[in-house]
Amino acid sequence: MSALLEVDGLTVGYGAAPVLHDVSLTVEPGQIVAVLGANGAGKTTLLRALSGLLPPTRGRVVFDGADLRGIRVERMVRHGIAHVPEGRGVVTELTVDENLRLGGLWRKPQPSLAPIYELFPRLAERRGHLGHQLSGGERQMLALGRALAAQPRLLLLDEPSLGLAPRVTAQIMALLRDLRDRTGLAVLLVEQNVRSALSIADQGIVLSLGRIAARDDAAALADDADLRHAYLGF
Amino acid sequence: MTALKDRVTARMVAPASRRRLNPYLVVAVGAALVVALTYTLPPFRTYQLATIGAYLCVTAGLTVLTGLNGQLSLGHGALMATGAYTLALWQNKFNLLAVGIVVAMLVTTAAGLIIGLAAARLRGPYLAGLTLAVAVVVPSITSTFDETFNSDQGLSVVLNPPPESMTVEQWQAWLCWAGALVTVLALALITRGRFGRDMRAVRDDETAAKLAGISIARTQVWTFVISAACAGLGGALFAVLAQSVSPGAFPLTLSLFLLMAIVIGGLGRLSGALIGAFLLVALPALAHEIGEASGSQRLEGNLALTFFGVVLVVVMLAAPGGLASLRVPRSWRPSHTTRKKKH
Amino acid sequence: MDRFLFLTFDGLSRGAVYAAFALALVLIWRATRIVNFAQGAMAVATAYVGYSVADATGSYWLGFAVAVLAGLLLGAGVERVVMRFVDHSSPLNGVVVALGLVLIIQGVLGMIYGNEFRPAEAPFSRDAFNIGGVALLSRYDVFVFAAVGAVVVLLTLLFTRTPTGLRMRAAAFAPDVSRLLGVPVGGMLTLGWALAAAVGSLAGMLVIPTELGLHPTAMDVLFISAFTAAVLGGLDSPIGAVIGGLIVGLVLSYISGYLGATVAPMAVLALLVVVLLGRPDGLFARSKARTA
Ligand SMILES: Nc1ncnc2c1ncn2[C@@H]1O[C@H](COP(=O)(O)OP(=O)(O)O)[C@@H](O)[C@H]1O
Ligand SMILES: [Mg+2]
């Protein structure tokens, strides 16, 4: 099976000094890969580089056999990559329905939102509400639903559990697992909530100071006490 | 909090100027130079020299306001008009020029205080919009009170003839440059002291300045008032130069020209204000000559307008960071004295 | 009473133009956080183009269409060539660049057309016809209401009913997120500027025949009135701009009707000061401080 996403020797930064050094990883179709690491390790930077928000200084990103170099951010979604940014990026001035429509806007004809509302009944109840009227959990669902409306093959998720109650986090994780199993969606899941992430991930990658410190099966990582103490803080 | 205050103070004090000119010396040399020029230049050039002096009063005040305090004013053309009309009315009644100039400055200062009080509560485009409205509306006041201001025709200015040993142009140049050099000296002294530091602190970071015990509003209002006084002086001198005042002499474009002059001169420097004042006289003169040569009247005034506009846009786009990067702070750093302020 | 009614209708007619012009300012402010101080000059430029075409072809309507089209192109051009490259670290940068454009446009217009007022024909009679014995409205006023009403309706439909409108709003509110969602944000900005400038041109075509005629500075006072209207409406709110425009139109009409036309410019200034200092958020705004 060929990898869906192949990152090779990626080096990227905001100015002269790189934040990520020589990062390589692969994501197979239908695989959830958790990216773990302390604050400032470079997880968000990794996702920003993958979706084209930050141009890499070195290295290659190949998605579904095609090199992504030089592809503009707004084209990424057409290639099948959806990025839910840190802090969710719900457009608070738009309604729930408008936010969701925005997700599928690039497709012709535009996809029905019914499956999304089916997945998130809560959003259906609040479809006419403005983004800033939503709770944190609802916003996360909206951001997720909006990304799914684009019908991506790879989902880049940046700390979906941030600021959410454990119960809501669990719901979202269950949903991701479900989506992977049902639709073969691949997910690159950045999380600080290590336990939750590893509970649904197939693979785990630990970033430390911009370098890959460890990678293994999710289960193995969860069991590796030394590693947990060293990098993951539990 | 203390740390923040230290940081603010440190930023304001740290890199002391490497070479700072003594302002008294500069002014003395400037005065000597002007006097020498008035005896060597032909009358028309002397008149232009005088005009540069009058403009310098305004651009110097404006560059302090915008460059050092971060307030944008498009209303300084209107403030000049205030000074000019005040002087005209005064002269036509009392014919006492020295007092008239002071009165013109006082009246303009009062007008500046009103605008400044409003301005201190406004930022960015709101401040720009308000001052733009002032610039557009104030000349039209001459029609509203036409018995006093005589509408579009304006007023002529009664002036005594110059001392017998001088030509009119020499006398004008001396007068205007006396005003300009006093203005520059006063501004140099003000901006080097504690108040100058407050102005920059407010411009750079209002929150930090507040934490350091600086009153934002008071600093902004005072700066506006000072620059208004300068504009009033400049306006009064213009009335003397033209020996008449009319609303047409103070259009919106005058305010925009002033803005352009200080931006191109290098925001926040008195030497930049001089460059700006020079350009304000030289470029229209150049455009005038081109217009004459081409035989097209339309070209004359409009060429300068277009040129100023292009330069303004190009400079703004070429300078990374826009206005902020056009500031050249070196010669403006305050002295080493550490600020001691209770709070 | 008749006079009051007359002034009311007159004020609404003026206000409709202010509303359109304020709407143009709001569109650009929402998208780029720039108050387009060049909007008046741009509108004058396109009005010159429109009237040149009208004079050459003898058709006012062709000139009108060309003016609006020219506004579209000029707006897009200004965004692509100039405004896109303005540094956003200080809100003053955009202001200064726009003022530079004012100088350029007024200078170029002066060079081409001269600095005299040129007469500008209105397509309909400006004489008020009688309704129930009172002269209230002219045909031209009706045309103004219809034109501005059409613009408001079309813009509302565009923004609320079409995918492009949704894209434009998203790009204005959250450019980074919008790009991740596949919205070509740069294109939306260009489109926004184009539309706004076209609306501004339309407002210019409507107001110029009612004033002294064509002149490079013909829109200076109108700009201030429209800016006041936009600020009154909150600068962020299209509905606010429309209502603000009507309010400003009424106030100015009453003042020039009862106190004399020469007071009107001062009244605008006074109104702007009152609005800026008295209602810091405008009537309909979300944002709190006047800090941009
Ligand atoms: N916009 C930025 N400009 C400069 N440096 C940044 C920027 N964003 C993040 N960084 C730096 O990059 C490093 C990694 O940040 P980030 O990728 O956000 O970490 P994480 O998401 O793992 O917490 C940090 O040291 C941070 O200071
Ligand atoms: Mg992060």
Side-chain angles (χ1 to χ4, degrees):
Chain A
M1 189 164 59
S2 72
L4 181 66
L5 177 76
E6 228 182 302
V7 179
D8 189 20
L10 184 70
T11 298
V12 58
Y14 295 90
V19 168
L20 286 183
H21 308 264
D22 195 21
V23 168
S24 302
L25 60 91
T26 56
V27 180
E28 310 285 340
Q31 197 182 34
I32 297 180
V33 176
V35 179
L36 311 169
N39 248 333
K43 307 180 296 294
T44 297
T45 305
L46 173 63
L47 293 197
R48 290 172 61 84
L50 294 183
S51 63
L53 285 168
L54 277 177
T57 21
R58 266 204 310 280
R60 250 159 45 103
V61 179
V62 177
F63 183 75
D64 199 18
D67 196 327
L68 290 185
R69 176 187 305 274
I71 294 192
R72 279 177 292 137
V73 181
E74 52 261 43
R75 307 285 305 180
M76 285 298 177
V77 71
R78 288 161 201 265
H79 288 260
I81 299 180
H83 180 171
V84 179
E86 200 170 5
R88 302 166 190 133
V90 163
V91 187
T92 52
E93 292 90 345
L94 300 181
T95 64
V96 168
D97 200 61
E98 286 168 335
N99 265 290
L100 287 179
R101 270 196 283 145
L102 207 51
L105 217 48
W106 64 276
R107 298 193 82 98
K108 301 235 164 15
Q110 273 149 43
S112 156
L113 294 181
I116 308 289
Y117 281 127
E118 213 168 292
L119 213 52
F120 301 99
R122 183 77 190 130
L123 293 183
E125 290 165 28
R126 316 211 66 182
R127 61 194 303 163
H129 289 234
L130 291 177
H132 66 79
Q133 297 171 309
L134 302 184
S135 72
E138 288 165 345
R139 286 187 200 203
Q140 187 58 60
M141 288 176 191
L142 179 53
L144 200 52
R146 192 178 59 186
L148 295 176
Q151 301 175 357
R153 284 178 292 162
L154 173 67
L155 191 59
L156 308 177
L157 266 183
D158 202 343
E159 303 209 24
S161 76
L162 197 71
L164 299 189
R167 192 177 47 81
V168 184
T169 304
Q171 260 176 25
I172 286 175
M173 295 299 164
L175 189 95
L176 290 176
R177 178 167 46 199
D178 214 48
L179 278 168
R180 171 198 58 192
D181 296 343
R182 271 196 303 120
T183 67
L185 177 70
V187 182
L188 197 59
L189 174 64
V190 163
E191 262 301 347
Q192 297 226 44
N193 191 335
V194 176
R195 265 184 242 268
S196 296
L198 288 181
S199 73
I200 62 160
D202 304 291
Q203 283 268 320
I205 292 174
V206 180
L207 273 183
S208 173
L209 299 177
R211 293 172 203 278
I212 292 189
R215 84 175 83 215
D216 209 335
D217 286 346
L221 275 183
D223 289 340
D224 188 336
D226 291 344
L227 194 81
R228 283 199 334 241
H229 290 309
Y231 295 112
L232 305 175
F234 74 98
Chain B
M1 173 111 169
T2 323
L4 187 59
K5 188 203 148 193
D6 287 348
R7 215 176 66 211
V8 173
T9 322
R11 172 144 44 115
M12 291 183 294
V13 175
S17 61
R18 278 173 289 182
R19 54 189 167 88
R20 181 130 52 80
L21 299 170
N22 181 332
Y24 293 101
L25 194 65
V26 172
V27 166
V29 171
L33 198 62
V34 169
V35 170
L37 281 173
T38 56
Y39 283 106
T40 46
L41 292 175
F44 179 63
R45 295 290 173 212
T46 309
Y47 176 80
Q48 289 184 315
L49 181 68
T51 314
I52 294 176
Y55 269 128
L56 178 54
C57 298
V58 189
T59 53
L62 196 57
T63 208
V64 166
L65 179 72
T66 306
L68 296 190
N69 196 219
Q71 298 189 75
L72 185 67
S73 170
L74 309 178
H76 271 51
L79 290 172
M80 284 175 70
T82 309
Y85 269 89
T86 307
L87 184 88
L89 292 171
W90 175 274
Q91 281 302 96
N92 296 349
K93 196 151 186 146
F94 305 108
N95 193 10
L96 246 179
L97 185 60
V99 184
I101 289 178
V102 174
V103 171
M105 285 179 71
L106 288 177
V107 171
T108 314
T109 304
L113 177 66
I114 296 170
I115 304 175
L117 284 172
R121 299 181 56 181
L122 302 174
R123 299 291 175 268
Y126 296 99
L127 177 56
L130 177 68
T131 54
L132 181 80
V134 169
V136 171
V137 167
V138 164
S140 79
I141 292 177
T142 54
S143 303
T144 317
F145 303 105
D146 54 353
E147 287 131 58
T148 314
F149 299 120
N150 195 24
S151 294
D152 290 349
Q153 283 79 45
L155 307 166
S156 57
V157 179
V158 173
L159 290 170
N160 291 329
E164 283 187 14
S165 56
M166 304 173 92
T167 65
V168 176
E169 288 81 10
Q170 281 171 331
W171 180 74
Q172 287 174 329
W174 284 34
L175 181 70
C176 290
W177 276 91
L181 291 174
V182 169
T183 303
V184 167
L185 182 63
L187 290 175
L189 295 177
I190 290 172
T191 53
R192 274 160 198 237
R194 167 177 294 180
F195 186 69
R197 198 160 49 196
D198 289 358
M199 289 192 311
R200 283 179 287 266
V202 168
R203 172 199 70 196
D204 290 336
D205 186 341
E206 289 189 15
T207 314
K210 203 183 293 178
L211 290 173
I214 300 169
S215 162
I216 312 280
R218 195 181 326 134
T219 309
Q220 289 185 325
V221 173
W222 269 112
T223 314
F224 206 101
V225 164
I226 290 169
S227 80
C230 298
L233 175 60
L237 294 175
F238 265 93
V240 172
L241 281 175
Q243 300 176 24
S244 69
V245 290
S246 67
F250 306 96
L252 171 62
T253 42
L254 172 62
S255 294
L256 301 189
F257 277 15
L258 294 172
L259 175 68
M260 186 253 12
I262 59 164
V263 167
I264 295 178
L267 220 43
R269 285 189 304 174
L270 290 179
S271 57
L274 178 61
I275 298 172
F278 175 78
L279 290 177
L280 284 174
V281 174
L283 289 183
L286 189 68
H288 178 81
E289 275 166 25
I290 295 175
E292 295 234 300
S294 73
S296 159
Q297 280 194 327
R298 283 178 182 175
L299 220 53
E300 224 187 282
N302 292 310
L303 201 60
L305 220 62
T306 314
F307 184 76
F308 280 157
V310 170
V311 171
L312 195 55
V313 170
V314 168
V315 166
M316 287 298 298
L317 296 189
L323 283 178
S325 72
L326 293 171
R327 293 198 296 256
V328 183
R330 189 193 306 140
S331 59
W332 281 88
R333 292 288 180 189
S335 58
H336 288 277
T337 52
T338 317
R339 179 190 183 81
K340 290 199 180 78
K341 185 152 186 172
K342 292 188 291 266
H343 58 135
Chain C
M1 191 61 205
D2 289 356
R3 177 141 183 84
F4 180 77
L5 276 179
F6 171 77
L7 291 176
T8 304
F9 277 92
D10 182 54
L12 289 174
S13 168
R14 288 184 198 213
V17 178
Y18 299 156
F21 206 77
L23 201 53
L25 289 176
V26 167
L27 287 183
I28 290 179
W29 171 258
R30 283 218 305 185
T32 58
R33 297 285 127 177
I34 289 175
V35 172
N36 183 15
F37 282 96
Q39 181 118 0
M42 289 165 67
V44 173
T46 57
Y48 269 108
V49 173
Y51 274 102
S52 299
V53 170
D55 288 346
T57 61
S59 161
Y60 172 85
W61 296 111
L62 187 62
F64 189 87
V66 168
V68 173
L69 194 69
L72 219 52
L73 295 177
L74 184 59
V78 164
E79 197 279 324
R80 279 269 142 143
V81 178
V82 179
M83 288 301 175
R84 177 161 295 198
F85 305 102
V86 171
D87 181 276
H88 282 280
S89 59
S90 159
L92 293 187
N93 293 338
V95 173
V96 174
V97 170
L99 294 171
L101 287 177
V102 171
L103 287 175
I104 296 175
I105 293 172
Q106 292 191 349
V108 170
L109 287 177
M111 280 193 264
I112 300 175
Y113 297 101
N115 289 67
E116 310 83 40
F117 278 96
R118 301 179 135 217
E121 296 285 317
F124 297 103
S125 159
R126 297 198 52 229
D127 298 330
F129 48 79
N130 282 348
I131 300 170
V134 189
L136 290 181
L137 272 176
S138 68
R139 286 177 189 281
Y140 192 72
D141 291 330
V142 175
F143 166 58
V144 168
F145 287 132
V148 175
V151 164
V152 171
V153 169
L154 286 177
L155 284 180
T156 310
L157 289 178
L158 171 72
F159 280 110
T160 58
R161 294 291 149 86
T162 68
T164 301
L166 181 55
R167 282 191 195 98
M168 288 178 74
R169 281 190 293 153
F173 294 133
D176 287 342
V177 173
S178 300
R179 291 174 76 207
L180 288 176
L181 296 170
V183 175
V185 172
M188 292 302 120
L189 285 187
T190 310
L191 185 58
W193 272 81
L195 280 177
V199 173
S201 295
L202 178 117
M205 286 302 283
L206 292 178
V207 78
I208 282 172
T210 71
E211 307 266 342
L212 294 171
L214 281 166
H215 188 273
T217 63
M219 301 283 278
D220 284 2
V221 178
L222 180 108
F223 179 89
I224 305 294
S225 308
F227 178 71
T228 306
V231 171
L232 183 62
L235 212 47
D236 251 330
S237 154
I239 311 155
V242 172
I243 297 174
L246 294 176
I247 292 175
V248 171
L250 285 172
V251 170
L252 292 187
S253 176
Y254 295 141
I255 286 177
S256 35
Y258 290 119
L259 299 179
T262 56
V263 188
M266 277 168 70
V268 182
L269 179 59
L271 191 59
L272 179 59
V273 171
V274 169
V275 170
L276 280 175
L277 300 183
R279 277 222 56 109
D281 302 335
L283 297 176
F284 307 89
R286 259 186 293 268
S287 58
K288 278 206 206 70
R290 284 281 183 229
T291 53

